[in-house]
């Protein structure tokens, strides 16, 4: 077994030499990831300078990053009332990133905004490592490298370098799911809880832990084992992991509800932002309006994009992708496609759905190296240009 679990018993932390060996294996993938992100930031800097804008401001002090910084500096309680009467409250933003921004700025010369960017950059490397470990475990080292590269060159990959919570969430989620894959149930529960303090979609990591645990118990019992033997045997950390997993997400949901004086307090806050879940009705209506109006090409592009991500998920199912990845990736995809709100955010919302890239990574790993890297380099260039154009325009809300 060529992964972190090679010398570690289930539920235990791997020894330092194993971690060092794993990091050495992942180092080329991390270097490639850093190169792609450096290209993206460099193109952004040049493009921004040509437009009279500041690349640093675009990465740290626009859109959601301003809300995270305000939470870090002033805490919760800030809101803005729009002309139509809607109230945008900073309670919509989960607390882990602002906590880290506040902590890092308190012990360093960094502002909260700059601390957020540092956290995002470091977390994106942590996410890349987790993706490499996942791809390596399932399909070999070249697939691990391909998975990291594909995630780095996504059209909205520039968000990975912003003071947003996507990189932090993906790192926690990817390592949490990896811990489920390798039987580290307690670590999986801790990481799921932290992911649940980072973004609402943290419930996807909880689902991966819970569903995998339930199926594991079912299969073990079908083989003749009793429940006590299962939970005290090689799955002895399963019950604590299952109990820990929802604490972050549920804790923040309950806290906001208590603060708002309503069990649905967080949903009400999101509703005031125009967000929520309607089963995809609003998104489907939006696509239909595009297809039936002058923006037919844009609507067709959206339809093709939705079909592509659904096809990638189905491909993963057909290829026998492990259950934790299917549950996690499927939940992220489902929540993204069935949410209402600003539809330009959907590509960003699907950024953490890295399991969708596994079929492509597995296929790419069989290509000749020169051809594979040429394709990645071309896509990376296009992604960097698109990211610079995007942030200098409407940007990611």
């Amino acid at each position: 077994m060529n992964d972190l679990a090679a010398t570690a018993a289930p539920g235990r932390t791997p020894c330092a030499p194993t971690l060092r060996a794993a990091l050495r294996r992942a180092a080329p993938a991390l270097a490639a990831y850093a190169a792609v992100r450096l290209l993206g930031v460099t193109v952004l800097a040049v493009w921004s300078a040509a437009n009279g804008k500041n690349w640093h401001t675009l990465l740290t002090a626009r859109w959601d990053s301003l809300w995270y910084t305000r939470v870090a500096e002033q805490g919760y309680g800030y809101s803005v009332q729009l002309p139509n009467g809607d109230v945008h409250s900073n309670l919509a933003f989960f607390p882990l990133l602002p906590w880290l921004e506040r902590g890092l700025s308190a012990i360093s010369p960094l502002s909260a905004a700059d601390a957020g960017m540092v956290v995002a950059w470091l977390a994106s490397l942590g996410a890349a490592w987790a993706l490499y470990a996942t791809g390596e475990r399932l399909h070999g080292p070249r697939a691990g490298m391909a998975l990291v590269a594909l995630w780095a060159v996504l059209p909205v990959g520039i968000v990975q370098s912003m003071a947003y919570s996507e990189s932090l969430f993906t790192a926690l989620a990817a390592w949490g799911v990896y811990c489920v894959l390798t039987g580290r149930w307690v670590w999986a529960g801790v990481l799921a809880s932290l992911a649940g303090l980072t973004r609402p979609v943290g419930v996807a990591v909880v689902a991966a832990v819970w569903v995998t645990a339930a199926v594991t118990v079912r299969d073990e019992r079908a083989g003749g084992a009793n429940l006590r033997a299962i939970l005290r045997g090689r799955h002895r950390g399963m019950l604590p992991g299952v109990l820990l997993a929802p604490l972050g997400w549920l804790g923040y949901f309950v806290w906001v509800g208590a603060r708002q004086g309503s069990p649905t307090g967080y949903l009400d806050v999101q509703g005031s932002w125009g967000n929520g879940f309607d089963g995809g009705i609003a998104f489907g209506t939006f696509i239909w309006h595009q297809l039936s109006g002058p923006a037919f090409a844009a609507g067709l592009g959206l339809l093709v994009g939705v079909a592509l991500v659904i096809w990638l998920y189905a491909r993963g199912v057909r290829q026998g992708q492990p259950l934790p990845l299917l549950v996690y990736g499927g939940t992220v995809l489902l929540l993204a496609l069935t949410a209402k709100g600003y539809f330009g955010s959907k590509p960003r919302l699907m950024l953490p759905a890295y399991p969708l890239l596994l079929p492509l990574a597995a296929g790419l790993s069989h290509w000749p190296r020169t051809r594979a890297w040429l394709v990645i380099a071309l896509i990376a260039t296009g992604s960097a240009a698109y990211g610079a154009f995007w942030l200098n325009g409407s940007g990611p809300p």
Side-chain angles (χ1 to χ4, degrees):
M1 184 184 299
N2 192 24
D3 54 43
L4 296 182
T7 60
R12 296 186 180 179
T13 304
C15 59
T18 305
L19 284 171
R20 287 196 294 269
L23 182 56
R24 281 196 300 270
R25 293 198 306 275
L30 298 182
Y33 176 81
V36 172
R37 292 274 40 88
L38 178 61
L39 174 64
V41 173
T42 301
V43 172
L44 174 65
V46 173
W47 196 304
S48 300
N51 283 343
K53 297 182 180 180
N54 186 290
W55 67 273
H56 178 266
T57 300
L58 293 176
L59 292 180
T60 63
R62 295 287 301 278
W63 306 291
D64 288 6
S65 57
L66 290 172
W67 288 87
Y68 284 119
T69 298
R70 189 180 292 273
V71 173
E73 294 175 341
Q74 302 177 16
Y76 286 104
Y78 175 79
S79 62
V80 174
Q81 186 165 6
L82 304 184
N84 65 358
D86 289 344
V87 176
H88 286 183
S89 167
N90 63 1
L91 289 169
F93 297 87
F94 275 50
L96 186 56
L97 177 58
W99 287 348
L100 293 175
E101 289 179 343
R102 182 185 303 171
L104 183 56
S105 63
I107 61 173
S108 73
L110 296 172
S111 66
D114 285 338
M117 185 172 69
V118 170
V119 169
W121 287 15
L122 293 176
S124 68
L125 286 171
W129 186 6
L131 267 59
Y132 175 82
T134 301
E136 179 195 43
R137 178 178 177 86
L138 297 180
H139 302 291
R142 291 192 63 188
M145 176 77 81
L147 182 60
V148 171
L150 289 171
W151 190 65
V153 302
L154 287 173
V156 294
I158 191 64
V159 174
Q160 299 163 18
S161 300
M162 298 180 68
Y164 270 42
S165 60
E166 274 75 11
S167 289
L168 178 61
F169 174 78
T170 304
L172 294 169
W175 278 118
V177 173
Y178 184 80
C179 285
V180 178
L181 284 171
T182 55
R184 292 179 177 81
W185 291 102
V186 174
W187 277 108
V190 170
L191 289 164
S193 186
L194 291 173
L197 281 172
T198 308
R199 294 189 62 79
V201 75
V203 70
V205 194
V206 179
V209 174
W210 280 11
V211 173
T212 305
V215 171
T216 299
V217 170
R218 184 202 66 187
D219 291 347
E220 294 274 353
R221 295 192 69 180
N226 61 55
L227 184 59
R228 176 173 295 183
I230 296 170
L231 297 180
R232 291 186 177 181
R234 64 191 184 93
H235 299 298
R236 60 185 176 276
M238 180 185 290
L239 183 58
V242 166
L243 295 176
L244 285 168
L247 294 185
W249 181 87
L250 185 61
Y252 187 67
F253 193 96
V254 170
W255 180 78
V256 173
R259 185 184 178 103
Q260 297 294 98
S262 168
T264 61
Y266 183 77
L267 298 178
D268 297 337
V269 169
Q270 285 282 15
S272 295
W273 277 80
N275 298 325
F277 299 95
D278 62 359
I281 295 174
F283 187 39
T285 302
F286 176 76
I287 294 177
W288 173 250
H289 285 163
Q290 300 291 305
L291 290 171
S292 59
F296 175 80
L300 184 60
L302 280 173
L303 199 60
V304 170
V306 171
L308 175 62
V309 295
I310 293 175
W311 178 84
L312 287 172
Y313 182 76
R315 184 73 175 173
V317 173
R318 289 196 299 270
Q319 289 182 349
Q321 204 170 98
L323 182 62
L325 289 163
L326 288 177
V327 173
Y328 167 75
T331 305
V332 174
L333 180 60
L334 178 66
L335 293 178
L337 293 181
T338 59
K340 59 182 179 179
Y342 183 73
F343 302 112
S345 298
K346 290 196 179 292
R348 177 171 66 85
L349 296 178
M350 287 191 282
L351 190 63
Y354 67 91
L356 298 177
L357 300 173
L358 268 168
L360 297 178
L364 192 61
S365 68
H366 297 298
W367 287 19
R369 291 180 186 272
T370 302
R371 180 185 173 194
W373 281 112
L374 178 60
V375 169
I376 290 296
L378 289 173
I379 299 175
T381 302
S383 174
Y386 178 75
F389 168 78
W390 195 35
L391 291 196
N392 277 274
S394 61

